[in-house]
Amino acid sequence: MKNMVFINPSGVHVHMLELSALRKNMGKAAFILMLCFGCTFLCRAEVKLPALISNGIVLQRDQPIVVWGTADKEEPVEVSFMRKKYKTTADIDGNWKVTLPPVKAGGPYIMTINDIEINDILIGDVWLCSGQSNMELPIRRVLDLYADEVKDYANPMIRYIKTPTAYSYHEPQSDVPSVTWMPLTPDYVFSYSALCYFFARDLYEKIKVPIGIINSSVGGSPIESWISEEGLKAFPHYIHDRDLHRSDAYIRNAAKLDWERRSLWNQIVYKEDRGLHEKPAWYESAFDDTNWEKTDLNNKDWSIDGLSFVNGTFWFRKDFVLDGSLTGTDAILRLGCITDADSVFINGVFVGTTSYQYPPRIYTVPKDLLKQGRNNITIRLFSYSGRAEFVDDKPYKLIVRDHEIDLSEEWKYKPGVRMPAYQGVPTTQQKPTGFYNGMIAPLENLAFTGVIWYQGESNAERYHEYSDLLSSLIDDWRGLFKKPELPFFIVQLPNFMKQSLSPSDGHWANMRESQRKVVATVPNTGLIVTIDLGEWNDIHPLNKKDIGLRLSLQAQKMVYGRNVTADGPVYQSMEIQDNRIVLSFKDGTDDLIWSDQLKGFAIAGKDRVFKWANAKTEGSKVIVWNDEIAEPLRVRYAWADNPGELNFRNKAGLPASPFEGE
């Protein structure tokens, strides 16, 4: 009894043993009144709002505004907004919803819901962005290209939310974990998705309306994880895959097993790695690496034993000489990209680490670490599975003031410990319906101007079903948001991997065609072509600005009705004339840049074997031929995982999408 607590109207904690003393000092009626009033205060229902309805929110203009939440059953709820009040009552399950009339763009406004006050509300255009890692990629990862323009720009009329990763295989969820609306200011800009940043920034400059971005994306996620159970009815094998993961106990056990395997692997590596335990340690300046093997960062022979990839740890050391004039200042160490992970030391002092292969290695070297004369860099490289490497054509250098020291040549190396490949358990977080239930369904009551979808890398090997899956996703989300013509913009996969020297038929080429066909057949969709914006050695190309600008063009044309050219040449049809194929393109995209040597075209005859072809523009047409093929039947353009340099554009400067015609 003595630990029970009563909360009186003033908020003072009163223990139950003190109540008798209170009663002695006041009349019976007053005591009962105080007790009842306190209980009323204690039991009063608290209205709760979803995480997205919070300070700084951007609400969609010119569409009904839905405000919703929970409370005790039959609890009165009053919403006050723009000098008007709207009342409702929570239902027997405690849910309530109020629909406000459409509002023109503007703000900031204040909204109150009972005792809750939501401040700094803007009314504008809200965009839902989704997909995998290239949609997630933050602005801090692309500062090599855009540092100056990012640091000099702020715009509180642009707001951004990244919904936390959440999934469920049981049912659609009603809310997302706690989030914060972030205005585009120096305090928040580095958390913005780079693609979302450049899209929103350009679009705002064109339409001068507040922009809200909700980014619900997860790196590595396949498309089926973003589709509802209803949307996957035509794909029963995905529903069965989902059913295999409906056991919460299995999910917990799988996560625990993965953690234990990784922990044990790392424990053994730490215990057995000679580089850590020999005296002096291999990262110390005093260590003598005279007898180590030599290599350079373009050579990968060290990562294979002739038959198998070698996993575990490798140590790399390099000495360099620094002039005294370059000391006494911070330096930047650039180590490209490394598969899989690394820890880096300068003159025996740890300066940075990266735990997986994709991020660029950019480490700050404090000014007191570098010295005149001989200096040392040591890299401890972790190889978990597959082939370890320093990725080609990336920067490997030390930058001191305006001076650059090339680090790509002549390193010494030695294995630290050899390990079996780390065998992780299959992921349980990216199964069908999971992210739809956890990250899309909770947005149901919001209104959107449009959707931007950048995904496909994880489905490239299953390109044959992607058109149907993407079409299903579009229908699915349009149904959820009760907007059957909701605009969808699809970012097509860029060029990636080594250039093809002969006509080829890779997975990424076929995936691009699947994406193109969806846009050609599903109304109110647009394709953002990126075949010229990729990097052969990086699945996360840095040039997100041009993608954002092309997205903005699509939105300006489709959503806002502006008279702009938003597409490069859009393939429409082909006609065979003798031994030549004549290609036609969609009106409005066919103002072609003249060229008598177009690159990237290939044709095939009855044998279906493609050969490189000559191609040239003639007015609004393209003529394609190969003198060795007398009866051409099929044509392809830019049909390869990485087709190399291309020059087929219209006068708007926009590239044509890869395509296949027959």
Side-chain angles (χ1 to χ4, degrees):
M1 175 72 81
K2 68 179 180 180
N3 291 324
M4 294 184 65
V5 175
F6 168 74
I7 304 176
N8 74 15
S10 65
V12 178
H13 291 195
V14 182
H15 287 82
M16 294 297 290
L17 292 179
E18 296 173 336
L19 291 181
S20 58
L22 286 171
R23 185 174 182 178
K24 290 179 181 178
N25 294 317
M26 61 192 308
K28 181 177 180 181
F31 177 78
I32 293 174
L33 179 62
M34 186 202 77
L35 188 62
C36 293
F37 183 50
C39 289
T40 300
F41 180 87
L42 179 64
C43 299
R44 182 179 180 182
E46 180 184 359
V47 170
K48 293 184 178 180
L49 299 176
L52 291 165
I53 300 182
S54 56
N55 293 337
I57 187 173
V58 182
L59 296 170
Q60 179 61 47
R61 63 172 169 156
D62 301 330
Q63 295 186 41
I65 296 172
V66 178
V67 183
W68 74 102
T70 60
D72 276 359
K73 67 178 182 179
E74 301 180 352
E75 174 74 12
V77 178
E78 181 178 274
V79 178
S80 299
F81 186 59
M82 297 183 70
R83 301 179 181 178
K84 294 184 179 180
K85 298 183 183 296
Y86 309 85
K87 297 182 179 181
T88 190
T89 302
D91 63 22
I92 60 172
D93 295 318
N95 298 309
W96 59 268
K97 183 188 297 184
V98 175
T99 301
L100 283 59
V103 178
K104 297 295 183 182
Y109 300 112
I110 296 174
M111 178 185 293
T112 60
I113 302 99
N114 285 13
D115 295 330
I116 301 173
E117 185 172 277
I118 308 298
N119 296 291
D120 195 24
I121 298 171
L122 296 180
I123 308 295
D125 287 343
V126 186
W127 292 83
L128 174 56
C129 300
S130 189
Q132 53 184 110
S133 54
N134 272 301
M135 181 63 83
E136 277 192 304
L137 192 83
I139 199 76
R140 62 179 176 270
R141 286 270 296 273
V142 301
L143 291 181
D144 272 4
L145 297 181
Y146 309 114
D148 289 340
E149 61 181 293
V150 167
K151 72 179 182 181
D152 293 333
Y153 183 83
N155 187 344
M157 292 294 103
I158 297 173
R159 310 281 174 84
Y160 174 82
I161 268 184
K162 173 63 173 71
T163 58
T165 299
Y167 66 97
S168 172
Y169 301 129
H170 297 292
E171 60 188 8
Q173 302 298 293
S174 59
D175 201 2
V176 298
S178 179
V179 291
T180 300
W181 283 91
M182 297 181 286
L184 205 172
T185 64
D187 291 336
Y188 295 109
V189 65
F190 297 119
S191 296
Y192 271 56
S193 151
L195 177 56
C196 296
Y197 170 90
F198 287 114
F199 166 72
R201 176 173 169 172
D202 187 73
L203 189 61
Y204 179 85
E205 295 301 325
K206 300 299 190 301
I207 66 172
K208 302 298 182 182
V209 166
I211 300 292
I213 300 288
I214 297 178
N215 184 358
S216 287
S217 53
V218 178
S221 57
I223 189 173
E224 61 269 17
S225 66
W226 296 100
I227 304 175
S228 72
E229 180 175 2
E230 179 69 23
L232 287 174
K233 278 189 173 179
F235 309 91
H237 58 296
Y238 286 127
I239 297 298
H240 299 157
D241 188 16
R242 185 278 313 272
D243 291 343
L244 287 171
H245 294 82
R246 282 191 130 172
S247 167
D248 292 334
Y250 169 72
I251 298 294
R252 288 193 300 270
N253 291 336
K256 181 179 179 182
L257 178 60
D258 186 44
W259 183 88
E260 288 180 346
R261 284 183 174 180
R262 185 175 294 275
S263 178
L264 288 170
W265 197 92
N266 286 324
Q267 287 176 32
I268 295 170
V269 167
Y270 178 80
K271 179 182 177 182
E272 301 296 335
D273 191 335
R274 293 175 294 165
L276 294 176
H277 303 296
E278 289 187 1
K279 299 297 181 183
W282 292 2
Y283 58 82
E284 294 184 39
S285 296
F287 180 77
D288 183 3
D289 56 25
T290 303
N291 296 323
W292 283 23
E293 296 288 332
K294 293 181 180 180
T295 187
D296 61 63
L297 300 189
N298 295 318
N299 188 328
K300 298 174 177 55
D301 291 344
W302 51 268
S303 63
I304 194 168
D305 65 3
L307 297 173
S308 305
F309 298 142
V310 178
N311 301 123
T313 66
F314 296 88
W315 292 78
F316 293 81
R317 289 174 56 91
K318 182 178 181 63
D319 291 339
F320 64 94
V321 176
L322 199 63
D323 186 271
S325 63
L326 297 177
T327 60
T329 184
D330 289 349
I332 300 296
L333 179 62
R334 301 295 305 266
L335 291 175
C337 292
I338 300 173
T339 305
D340 290 294
D342 60 272
S343 293
V344 180
F345 305 82
I346 297 286
N347 292 331
V349 178
F350 173 78
V351 295
T353 185
T354 304
S355 61
Y356 66 109
Q357 68 185 83
Y358 294 119
R361 274 57 171 179
I362 306 175
Y363 301 130
T364 298
V365 182
K367 59 184 179 182
D368 58 345
L369 281 188
L370 295 175
K371 58 186 180 181
Q372 182 177 356
R374 175 184 171 276
N375 292 262
N376 173 265
I377 300 175
T378 300
I379 301 171
R380 185 185 183 215
L381 184 151
F382 297 79
S383 175
Y384 298 124
S385 61
R387 187 167 194 170
E389 67 171 341
F390 294 87
V391 176
D392 292 340
D393 289 348
K394 293 290 185 179
Y396 297 91
K397 57 189 177 181
L398 181 72
I399 305 170
V400 188
R401 296 194 182 96
D402 296 328
H403 185 75
E404 295 186 358
I405 299 173
D406 179 26
L407 301 176
S408 62
E409 297 182 352
E410 194 167 305
W411 288 69
K412 293 183 177 181
Y413 78 95
K414 190 172 185 176
V417 57
R418 183 163 183 173
M419 292 287 292
Y422 168 73
Q423 299 295 329
V425 297
T427 178
T428 57
Q429 297 186 12
Q430 300 183 350
K431 295 299 179 179
T433 74
F435 293 135
Y436 173 88
N437 288 338
M439 300 174 70
I440 300 300
L443 313 180
E444 178 180 7
N445 290 320
L446 295 175
F448 294 98
T449 294
V451 176
I452 300 169
W453 178 252
Y454 190 168
Q455 192 276 338
E457 299 93 334
S458 291
N459 287 84
E461 294 185 1
R462 294 176 282 142
Y463 61 82
H464 59 281
E465 63 183 9
Y466 194 80
S467 291
D468 291 337
L469 283 167
L470 182 53
S471 298
S472 181
L473 180 143
I474 294 171
D475 290 343
D476 201 26
W477 291 16
R478 285 173 169 173
L480 176 72
F481 299 124
K482 300 176 181 61
K483 196 172 181 182
E485 296 184 352
L486 181 67
F488 262 78
F489 299 105
I490 313 303
V491 180
Q492 194 180 49
L493 293 187
N495 47 311
F496 179 52
M497 295 174 276
K498 290 188 176 181
Q499 181 179 344
S500 301
L501 299 180
S502 58
S504 60
D505 195 24
H507 293 152
W508 280 47
N510 283 281
M511 173 58 78
R512 294 187 198 104
E513 182 71 351
S514 296
Q515 294 170 318
R516 186 188 71 85
K517 286 182 176 179
V518 169
V519 173
T521 56
V522 178
N524 273 30
T525 58
L527 186 69
I528 289 76
V529 176
T530 66
I531 194 62
D532 58 331
L533 302 180
E535 298 175 28
W536 78 266
N537 58 358
D538 201 333
I539 201 170
H540 302 117
L542 296 182
N543 189 349
K544 295 297 189 287
K545 180 177 180 178
D546 283 333
I547 302 178
L549 297 180
R550 292 175 189 179
L551 271 165
S552 176
L553 283 173
Q554 289 281 346
Q556 290 173 52
K557 186 175 183 66
M558 183 183 299
V559 176
Y560 302 100
R562 292 170 62 92
N563 184 23
V564 296
T565 301
D567 293 288
V570 175
Y571 170 72
Q572 194 165 50
S573 63
M574 61 172 276
E575 179 183 354
I576 300 173
Q577 296 180 1
D578 298 324
N579 70 332
R580 300 191 170 201
I581 295 177
V582 180
L583 302 175
S584 298
F585 300 87
K586 181 180 177 180
D587 287 346
T589 72
D590 58 352
D591 188 11
L592 307 180
I593 294 177
W594 179 85
S595 175
D596 61 356
Q597 292 184 340
L598 292 175
K599 300 176 181 179
F601 284 90
I603 60 175
K606 294 179 180 179
D607 60 4
R608 304 178 74 87
V609 175
F610 280 90
K611 297 182 179 180
W612 293 126
N614 301 301
K616 64 179 182 179
T617 54
E618 284 190 2
S620 62
K621 309 289 186 181
V622 170
I623 314 300
V624 189
W625 75 99
N626 182 314
D627 292 334
E628 297 178 1
I629 300 176
E631 298 180 16
L633 298 177
R634 303 174 72 195
V635 62
R636 285 176 171 174
Y637 169 67
W639 194 276
D641 293 335
N642 182 3
E645 184 181 355
L646 302 168
N647 62 344
F648 181 33
R649 297 172 178 261
N650 56 20
K651 291 180 181 177
L654 296 171
S657 165
F659 63 85
E660 181 177 42
E662 58 182 328

